[in-house]
Amino acid sequence: MKKPKYQLIVDFIKDKISKGEWEIGSRIPSQRHLAKMFDVNRSTIITALEELMADGLIEGKAGKGTVVTNNTWTLMGNRPSTNWNENVTLGIHKPSISTVQEINEAESNNNLIQLSKGELSSEMFPLKEMRSIVQKVSNQLTPFGYEEPKGNIKLRQAISDYLKIRGMDVSPSSILVVSGALQALHLISIGLLQRGSTVFLEVPSYLYSLTVFQSVGMELKGLPMDKDGIKVDSIYQTKEKGKSILYTIPTFHNPTGTLMQKKRREELIEYCEREQLPVIEDDVYRDLWMDSSPPETLKSMDYYGNVLYLGSLSKTLSPGLRIGWVVGSESVINRLADLKMQSDYGSSALSQLVATEWLSSGLYDQHLETVREQLKVRRRKALEALNKHLSSYATWDVPTGGFFIWIKIKPTFKVKRLFDKALSKGLLLNPGSIYAEQSGQFIRLSFGFASLAEIKIGIFRLSQIIKNQ
């Protein structure tokens, strides 16, 4: 006899609780989420939850949703169960904001049109070349163990050569291989900054969607931008000497796509050197230029070791490789390398060998040429759709690199709960609020991941949501 739908839901939740996957004190998914998971209406979910409440397994709590209050063992015995959930909030690292967590989860849903993802489409992934390189590396493999603290020396030499072409004369000894730029930020936060320090950064900024600095007691202080990047004179008004650092994405800024011009870069580096304000230059989008190569890096203007430079293959080749790098003075790199060894004993040796082959063989630069051409096509399609469907409701600037368009919805058409409404229409995008943009009028739209057809459909759906607010 076929079980009723509500009973399947009851059995599913009981199984989760009995296995300890949903421990005592944890919040179960919302009714909306469960209804979507089981493809049933809310009344079926409510029937299931009521039975579980009657059994004493869950309970609705004000401000917390529905939480697990017992498991089968605590119901059978007299001794209370260990409640790991009490420890969840005790760690020093703050959780991501709820919208970011929801976006992270939704980005694995292939049924959604992904206008949020900050990565290249699989259509641009060089599968043939990657297979060839992985095969070549595997044929040359010998038993390998942990790499040296700073990373494979051949990879660091390849990165050094790569950076030299881009105007940075950096020795391999001043390079640390990391598992992406985000790990670099984590290492910097725990190894170089004191609690209570101020991190200056553009507002809006991608960094606001993370808690890497706040978790170790830093305060983020936003600096206004114009079309050329950070307004340097805004730092004068707020700087606290000796306890500050500047984090910036001068090249194809995330989320706005802004490209800091050469004159502004010179002004910024001059100010930071004079005031001894250390700089983190996040340059992971540099190679994704479409119209002309960007101005030289802040690091190339740095003659005093004042700039820590972050690069990565995640945005240009594959996030799955987990290969990035930090460039700085040797003493700083030695410190960060020691911390990295304490945390993971080095990035994947296999990934480092693959990355070395990409950078040293010339295939990476060939791949970039293809990527730039594809991004031009995608940008054109996105702009055509925006002009056709959204020009009455929003404004935007044309990015010259990267894969983001920063869209400002006109005040007349401001939509409440736009993120939720878009998600209900099968469209995932990033609201400006997660980047500390307070007006609620901005969206970061990515044209790098979705197919050309999906970009067109997604922008049309977005226009309908705004039009029918």
Side-chain angles (χ1 to χ4, degrees), residues 195-208:
R195 291 184 67 84
S197 295
T198 297
V199 179
F200 292 110
L201 72 166
E202 296 101 342
V203 59
S205 175
Y206 156 77
L207 199 61
Y208 280 106

Side-chain angles (χ1 to χ4, degrees), residues 36 77 147 257 374 451:
K36 189 174 181 181
E147 293 286 359
Q374 290 293 314
S451 68

Side-chain angles (χ1 to χ4, degrees), residues 144-410:
F144 54 85
Y146 299 118
E147 293 286 359
E148 58 182 288
K150 292 181 184 178
N152 183 289
I153 182 59
K154 291 182 179 178
L155 175 55
R156 287 187 285 123
Q157 183 61 60
I159 294 169
S160 174
D161 295 340
Y162 158 89
L163 293 175
K164 193 165 188 177
I165 295 171
R166 287 152 180 82
M168 291 167 279
D169 190 2
V170 179
S171 303
S173 57
S174 291
I175 297 170
L176 169 66
V177 177
V178 290
S179 301
L182 185 54
Q183 185 184 46
L185 291 176
H186 175 69
L187 294 174
I188 291 166
S189 71
I190 63 174
L192 300 179
L193 305 179
Q194 57 181 308
R195 291 184 67 84
S197 295
T198 297
V199 179
F200 292 110
L201 72 166
E202 296 101 342
V203 59
S205 175
Y206 156 77
L207 199 61
Y208 280 106
S209 68
L210 308 172
T211 58
V212 61
F213 285 123
Q214 299 98 312
S215 293
V216 289
M218 310 294 151
E219 178 187 358
L220 302 188
K221 192 164 287 188
L223 301 172
M225 304 171 66
D226 59 20
K227 62 180 179 61
D228 292 331
I230 288 174
K231 294 183 177 179
V232 178
D233 56 5
S234 67
I235 311 175
Y236 287 87
Q237 303 165 17
T238 52
K239 184 175 181 308
E240 302 167 27
K241 281 206 171 186
K243 289 188 68 177
S244 303
I245 193 167
L246 172 69
Y247 169 84
T248 180
I249 312 174
T251 305
F252 313 131
H253 174 261
N254 183 2
T256 67
T258 301
L259 176 63
M260 187 182 291
Q261 298 304 312
K262 182 178 180 181
K263 184 179 179 183
R264 182 66 56 85
R265 292 173 189 243
E266 291 171 345
E267 292 172 0
L268 182 61
I269 201 71
E270 180 186 353
Y271 170 78
C272 292
E273 287 179 351
R274 185 176 70 246
E275 298 297 325
Q276 298 181 352
L277 176 64
V279 179
I280 302 171
E281 181 180 12
D282 192 338
D283 207 32
V284 298
Y285 301 101
R286 163 164 292 271
D287 287 331
L288 298 177
W289 54 268
M290 287 178 275
D291 301 324
S292 59
S293 57
E296 59 184 315
T297 63
L298 298 174
K299 184 62 183 172
S300 65
M301 306 176 192
D302 172 33
Y303 302 106
Y304 303 99
N306 199 49
V307 177
L308 282 178
Y309 180 85
L310 312 185
S312 172
L313 296 180
S314 294
K315 304 301 180 185
T316 53
L317 181 59
S318 171
L321 275 180
R322 306 311 307 139
I323 293 294
W325 49 85
V326 191
V327 176
S329 62
E330 284 194 26
S331 59
V332 169
I333 294 302
N334 290 340
R335 165 68 168 156
L336 296 180
D338 174 57
L339 291 174
K340 178 164 171 61
M341 290 297 284
Q342 291 184 49
S343 58
D344 67 5
Y345 256 83
S347 299
S348 161
L350 189 57
S351 287
Q352 291 189 64
L353 294 175
V354 170
T356 302
E357 188 64 28
W358 270 105
L359 291 173
S360 60
S361 65
L363 285 173
Y364 180 64
D365 286 321
Q366 291 176 30
H367 164 68
L368 288 176
E369 290 179 12
T370 302
V371 167
R372 291 180 190 125
E373 289 304 313
Q374 290 293 314
L375 286 177
K376 286 180 185 178
V377 173
R378 290 167 163 273
R379 179 182 62 178
R380 185 174 70 249
K381 291 292 184 182
L383 291 172
E384 286 174 357
L386 287 170
N387 285 319
K388 182 176 180 180
H389 301 298
L390 267 182
S391 57
S392 299
Y393 313 119
T395 58
W396 54 87
D397 291 324
V398 177
T400 58
F403 31 62
F404 302 129
I405 301 176
W406 188 235
I407 299 172
K408 182 179 182 180
I409 301 171
K410 295 177 181 178

Side-chain angles (χ1 to χ4, degrees), residues 40-99:
V40 297
N41 56 42
R42 294 271 293 269
S43 62
T44 304
I45 299 298
I46 291 169
T47 301
L49 297 182
E50 285 177 345
E51 179 166 318
L52 291 162
M53 286 179 184
D55 289 343
L57 292 171
I58 62 174
E59 182 181 309
K61 294 195 174 183
K64 291 187 176 181
T66 303
V67 300
V68 178
T69 51
N70 284 291
N71 59 33
T72 50
W73 299 107
T74 59
L75 289 174
M76 289 170 59
N78 296 320
R79 297 179 63 184
S81 171
T82 300
N83 183 359
W84 268 106
N85 195 62
E86 292 178 353
N87 297 71
V88 168
T89 58
L90 299 181
I92 64 168
H93 210 289
K94 298 176 184 291
S96 300
I97 59 177
S98 58
T99 303

Side-chain angles (χ1 to χ4, degrees), residues 14-27:
K14 280 185 175 180
D15 184 58
K16 284 286 189 181
I17 293 172
S18 66
K19 288 179 179 176
E21 292 179 5
W22 291 358
E23 74 276 18
I24 292 173
S26 64
R27 184 169 65 181

Side-chain angles (χ1 to χ4, degrees), residues 132-142 350 353-354 357:
S132 174
I133 285 177
V134 171
Q135 184 66 53
K136 180 178 180 180
V137 167
S138 66
N139 289 339
Q140 297 172 350
L141 274 185
T142 57
L350 189 57
L353 294 175
V354 170
E357 188 64 28

